[in-house]
């Protein structure tokens, strides 16, 4: 009887589509609920034919009536979703590309086509549509310095996107503010000024080894990118696992680290479709690109535990020893397993290396492009060394002092402004109720992000933003200061802000400064003759070189710097 009434089945399914869209689908958190979605979809396809077959219908008829019902349900459901997202969604008033309203696939397609320059896609959207752009069905990008505190600040009501946690559970993905705060406290102990200074001898040692390799090139041109990558990862390996990756010595990348690059590249797209990633994880046997590094981290942590006693680790503390403390000190509501510790170890490796490395690469470019700046910084850093302390290193209190090293500070900040290591910034989600952000009422459960790259090139914050002018960062008491170029410092957010901002900011500045001090003490950084423009030091040639550097910047979630080819010429040869 049911089989004969195809019309009734089709009508019921068609009616059910918009009703279920409004009552069910719109209320479900589809990003984190794709497990449920999968189960529901399977039930919809499988159960009706089975039920009809059991009730005596012919198998073919049972399948046919189910297919009719599924199609009559799916097509109006998609139409309902389309109409809602395009014309009735609470974000409908915000401008943006039409198809971006309908599906995240618009973003995915354009990010993919940008060849890892997704931050430029966002930049262009802001240039076209203004400060607030609807980037996806429920996502806004807000380019306004006053938005940062409301989105990321300590008192913000926005939280991390829950879905991140389903993919990996580590400090950087935790969405529950209380759990994050408890775990973050431990990291802060391991990365505060006092702890960082205790790591200096190890950083000095690795920097010496890098300088020895540079000396070995005897002034020949090298692409500095790989070396900076080896350097920052070797430091993190040493401070995390008590053993560097040995890349500076071997001159080649560790296989586990090469895997990280692939993971990050895929991450640019994956982050836009978290539900799809969640879905893919259900497929047994699918390779986890981070698996090697995680397993390797677990093994290194185990070896480290076997190699050293607890007392020795207590006396010679490294970063990982603080993180391991999480197990003891974090509230018992959030117990941590060995796997969680290994996840955090991997976070430390990636967050602490892939970011600072690009600053070093870009800094080398600017030092070579602006020899007079290099000379000034060299003069500053030479004053931070005691006589004859080649192996130990600069005195940190002097190197850290803005008074003693104003140009070094200014150059680093200008590099961070022009080459944000996390160009697109990170995402947050508004709570269950609307919130006000930079004068806009943003509906509940909206994903919001502030594009760091775009903000740091905004002329409303930085005059002549397209030019490399470190003097803008000099204190106004400095004779060369150009504070007139600084209009709104809130636009400078390379480390983000608030309770979930970068945990390694102090460490990063320390690492970059030690690198600069030690390298400049021994070498002059110059471009190879072949790369120089005809008019070697002409202003236009310098600007063109800077522009090329900026344009070649890629974004693999963290910045992948343009290739920089320079020579480290030993100073005694000059
Ligand atoms: C110039 C270098 C660096 C830059 C520009 C940078 C930038 C950032 C940014 C933008 C975030 C995201 C914050 C947010 O979502 O609000 C972040 C998170 C983080 N960074 Fe860095 N970072 C740098 C170096 C480092 C270093 C050297 C370490 C470790 C030694 C580190 C450890 C972390 C950690 C652990 C997080 C996650 C913090 C949390 O979830 O609480 N970073 N970083």
């Amino acid at each position: 009887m049911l089989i004969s009434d195809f019309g009734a089945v089709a009508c019921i399914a068609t009616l059910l589509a918009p009703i279920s869209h409004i009552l069910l689908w719109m209320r479900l958190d589809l990003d984190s609920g794709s497990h449920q979605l999968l189960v529901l979809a399977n039930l919809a396809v499988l159960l009706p034919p089975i039920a009809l077959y059991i009730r005596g219908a012919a198998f073919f008829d049972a399948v046919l009536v189910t297919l009719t019902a599924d199609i009559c349900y799916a097509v109006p459901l998609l139409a309902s979703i389309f109409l809602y997202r395009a014309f009735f969604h609470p974000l409908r008033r915000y401008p943006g590309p039409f198809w971006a309203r309908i599906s995240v696939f618009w973003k995915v397609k354009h990010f993919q086509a940008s060849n890892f320059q997704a931050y430029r896609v966002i930049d262009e959207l802001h240039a076209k549509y203004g400060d607030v752009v609807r980037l996806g069905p429920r996502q806004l990008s807000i380019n306004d310095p006053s938005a940062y505190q409301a989105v990321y600040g300590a008192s913000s009501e926005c939280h991390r996107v829950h879905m991140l946690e389903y993919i990996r559970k580590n400090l950087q993905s935790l969405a529950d503010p209380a759990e994050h705060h408890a775990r973050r406290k431990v990291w802060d102990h391991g990365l505060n000024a006092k702890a960082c200074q205790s790591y200096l001898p190890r950083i000095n040692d690795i920097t010496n080894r890098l300088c020895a390799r540079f000396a070995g090139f005897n002034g020949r041109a090298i692409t500095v990118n790989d070396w900076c990558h080896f350097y920052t990862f070797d430091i993190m390996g040493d401070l995390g696992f008590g053993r560097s990756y040995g890349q500076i010595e071997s001159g080649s990348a560790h296989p586990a680290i090469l895997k990280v690059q692939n993971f990050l590249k895929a991450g640019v797209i994956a982050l836009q479709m978290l539900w799809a990633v969640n879905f893919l994880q259900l497929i047994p046997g699918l390779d986890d690109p981070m698996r090697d590094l995680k397993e390797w981290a677990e093994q290194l942590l185990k070896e480290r535990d076997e190699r050293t006693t607890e007392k020795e680790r207590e006396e010679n503390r490294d970063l990982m020893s603080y993180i391991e403390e999480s197990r003891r000190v974090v509230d018992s509501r959030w117990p941590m397993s060995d796997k969680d510790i290994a996840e955090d170890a991997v976070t430390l490796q990636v967050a602490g290396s892939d970011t600072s490395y690009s600053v070093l690469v870009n800094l080398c470019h600017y030092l070579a492009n602006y020899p007079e700046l290099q000379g000034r910084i060299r003069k500053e850093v030479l004053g931070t060394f005691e006589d004859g302390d080649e192996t130990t290193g600069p005195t940190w209190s002097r190197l850290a002092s803005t008074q003693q090293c104003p140009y070094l500070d200014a150059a680093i900040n200008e590099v961070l402004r022009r080459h944000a290591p996390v160009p697109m910034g990170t995402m947050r989600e508004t709570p269950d109720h609307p919130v006000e952000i930079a004068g806009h009422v943003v509906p509940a459960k909206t994903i919001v992000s502030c594009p760091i790259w775009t903000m740091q090139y905004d002329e409303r914050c930085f005059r002549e933003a397209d030019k490399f002018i470190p003097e803008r960062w000099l204190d106004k008491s400095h004779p060369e200061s150009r504070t007139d170029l600084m209009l709104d410092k809130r636009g400078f957010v390379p480390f983000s802000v608030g309770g979930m901002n970068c945990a390694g900011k102090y460490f990063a500045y320390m690492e970059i400064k030690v690198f600069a001090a030690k390298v400049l003490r021994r070498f002059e950084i110059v471009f190879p003759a072949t790369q120089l423009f005809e008019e070697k030091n002409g202003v236009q040639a310098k600007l063109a070189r800077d522009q090329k550097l900026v344009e070649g910047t890629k974004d693999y979630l963290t910045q992948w710097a343009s290739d920089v080819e320079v020579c480290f010429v030993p100073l005694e040869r000059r």
Side-chain angles (χ1 to χ4, degrees):
M1 181 195 59
L2 273 169
I3 305 295
S4 60
D5 202 351
F6 274 80
V9 169
C11 284
I12 294 172
T14 308
L15 260 175
L16 215 62
I19 296 172
S20 64
H21 178 218
I22 294 164
L23 296 180
L24 177 71
W25 300 117
M26 270 168 55
R27 278 151 223 273
L28 270 187
D29 177 2
L30 291 187
D31 279 343
S32 51
S34 48
H35 299 79
Q36 295 100 304
L37 194 65
L38 184 76
V39 174
L40 279 171
N42 277 332
L43 288 181
V45 175
L46 293 177
L47 281 188
I50 295 171
L52 291 172
Y53 185 60
I54 291 170
R55 290 186 57 196
F59 180 72
F60 180 73
D61 287 344
V63 171
L64 206 65
V65 84
T66 306
L67 268 181
T68 310
D70 285 346
I71 292 169
C72 291
Y73 178 75
V75 173
L77 177 68
L78 288 176
S80 172
I81 293 175
F82 176 90
L83 289 173
Y84 172 69
R85 289 182 175 178
F87 305 111
F88 301 101
H89 195 282
L91 291 182
R92 64 188 175 279
R93 285 192 222 338
Y94 291 103
F98 179 79
W99 289 103
R101 299 171 175 208
I102 311 300
S103 162
V104 289
F105 287 114
W106 183 92
K107 213 178 359 157
V108 168
K109 181 176 156 237
H110 283 78
F111 282 6
Q112 186 76 36
S114 74
N115 190 19
F116 296 107
Q117 291 197 312
Y119 66 94
R120 287 206 181 276
V121 175
I122 295 179
D123 206 39
E124 283 159 17
L125 287 176
H126 279 292
K128 185 167 176 190
Y129 293 103
D131 285 347
V132 185
V133 177
R134 187 171 173 192
L135 258 192
R138 63 172 186 117
Q139 186 180 0
L140 291 181
S141 174
I142 307 178
N143 179 45
D144 184 328
S146 66
Y148 270 92
Q149 286 302 329
V151 175
Y152 304 92
S155 53
S156 166
E157 289 188 81
C158 301
H159 54 75
R160 279 225 176 98
V161 181
H162 279 296
M163 182 53 208
L164 291 172
E165 231 175 80
Y166 288 83
I167 296 171
R168 347 206 58 90
K169 192 158 169 136
N170 55 41
L171 180 80
Q172 226 171 349
S173 68
L174 291 175
D176 174 4
E179 184 179 3
H180 176 270
H181 181 68
R183 270 169 69 173
R184 172 67 188 252
K185 264 203 302 205
V186 184
W187 283 70
D188 286 343
H189 280 146
L191 284 163
N192 66 20
K194 188 165 165 244
C196 284
Q197 283 168 51
S198 72
Y199 310 139
L200 255 180
R202 296 160 87 156
I203 299 177
N204 277 330
D205 178 45
I206 295 178
T207 319
N208 286 341
R209 284 193 254 151
L210 181 72
C211 287
R213 289 308 302 258
F214 285 170
F217 292 118
N218 226 348
R220 280 196 316 274
I222 56 166
T223 305
V224 81
N225 302 51
D226 281 348
W227 292 98
C228 293
H229 212 231
F230 298 163
Y231 172 71
T232 54
F233 262 103
D234 277 4
I235 288 180
M236 278 301 133
D238 188 274
L239 288 172
F241 304 128
R243 194 168 96 180
S244 105
Y245 293 89
Q247 299 176 112
I248 293 177
E249 280 70 26
S250 71
S252 57
H254 190 283
I257 291 166
L258 287 176
K259 283 231 166 190
V260 174
Q261 292 313 316
N262 293 334
F263 172 79
L264 292 175
K265 278 185 188 176
V268 176
I269 300 298
L271 260 187
Q272 318 309 322
M273 305 196 294
L274 292 170
W275 52 269
V277 178
N278 194 8
F279 199 78
L280 285 176
Q281 291 202 343
L282 296 175
I283 301 172
L286 209 72
D287 191 29
D288 171 0
M290 286 298 251
R291 194 179 51 208
D292 279 9
L293 194 69
K294 263 192 301 180
E295 284 173 0
W296 196 63
E298 281 174 50
Q299 183 202 328
L300 285 186
L301 287 174
K302 204 164 143 240
E303 277 173 26
R304 174 175 166 275
D305 286 354
E306 288 162 2
R307 216 175 36 239
T308 52
T309 62
E310 207 164 309
K311 190 162 174 284
E312 280 168 335
R313 290 200 293 276
E314 198 53 47
E315 279 164 8
N316 189 17
R317 294 203 73 168
D318 59 18
L319 249 165
M320 206 55 219
S321 69
Y322 288 92
I323 296 169
E324 281 181 320
E325 237 177 53
S326 312
R327 241 198 294 248
R328 275 193 291 116
V329 299
V330 171
D331 195 299
S332 57
R333 273 177 293 169
W334 306 295
M336 287 185 73
S337 65
D338 283 355
K339 283 208 176 328
D340 293 329
I341 296 284
E343 270 279 0
D344 269 0
V346 172
T347 302
L348 172 70
Q349 300 298 305
V350 180
S353 314
D354 256 340
T355 43
S356 315
Y357 115 89
S358 66
V359 183
L360 302 181
V361 173
N362 293 313
L363 186 62
C364 285
H365 164 93
Y366 289 108
L367 291 174
N369 208 24
Y370 297 93
E372 63 291 358
L373 172 73
Q374 186 179 153
R376 284 185 151 153
I377 297 181
R378 178 172 296 105
K379 207 164 149 214
E380 286 175 5
V381 300
L382 285 179
T384 67
F385 286 89
E386 303 286 349
D387 281 345
D389 58 358
E390 190 59 54
T391 48
T392 52
T395 306
W396 174 242
S397 56
R398 289 188 212 159
L399 193 58
S401 148
T402 321
Q403 270 83 32
Q404 179 138 2
C405 300
Y407 262 101
L408 175 61
D409 242 32
I412 295 172
N413 282 342
E414 188 66 345
V415 168
L416 283 167
R417 181 188 71 77
R418 281 174 62 86
H419 301 268
V422 185
M424 283 205 287
T426 51
M427 297 188 285
R428 298 286 191 270
E429 190 175 349
T430 55
D432 287 336
H433 56 85
V435 290
E436 194 182 315
I437 299 175
H440 305 275
V441 177
V442 179
K445 294 200 164 289
T446 302
I447 295 178
V448 278
S449 52
C450 298
I452 298 180
W453 183 283
T454 304
M455 182 87 280
Q456 296 190 159
Y457 274 87
D458 197 314
E459 286 282 334
R460 291 169 298 180
C461 299
F462 307 101
R463 236 180 234 146
E464 299 188 48
D466 267 342
K467 292 198 184 126
F468 177 77
I469 310 179
E471 287 77 7
R472 70 173 87 235
W473 297 99
L474 295 174
D475 189 81
K476 55 178 179 300
S477 60
H478 194 287
E480 313 275 340
S481 169
R482 292 294 314 274
T483 45
D484 57 308
L485 302 178
M486 296 290 276
L487 301 179
D488 192 342
K489 265 195 186 174
R490 291 176 307 168
F492 182 61
V493 277
F495 297 94
S496 189
V497 297
M500 293 182 175
N501 73 345
C502 177
K505 182 174 169 182
Y506 191 93
F507 186 95
Y509 273 108
M510 192 165 92
E511 187 180 47
I512 298 163
K513 286 183 175 186
V514 171
F515 170 93
K518 284 198 163 258
V519 168
L520 289 181
R521 191 178 191 218
R522 289 186 62 180
F523 306 98
E524 174 126 33
I525 307 177
V526 294
F527 287 129
T530 48
Q531 240 197 33
L532 288 181
F533 287 59
E534 264 174 43
E535 194 193 353
K536 185 180 168 195
N537 284 318
V539 175
Q540 290 312 319
K542 283 175 195 288
L543 291 179
R545 283 194 286 265
D546 291 352
Q547 190 58 21
K548 197 165 160 232
L549 183 80
V550 170
E551 281 170 8
T553 302
K554 303 265 171 165
D555 177 3
Y556 300 168
L557 286 185
T558 52
Q559 188 200 136
W560 197 244
S562 303
D563 278 355
V564 170
E565 215 187 328
V566 286
C567 313
F568 291 90
V569 183
L571 280 174
E572 58 272 16
R573 285 214 338 227
R574 291 252 142 193

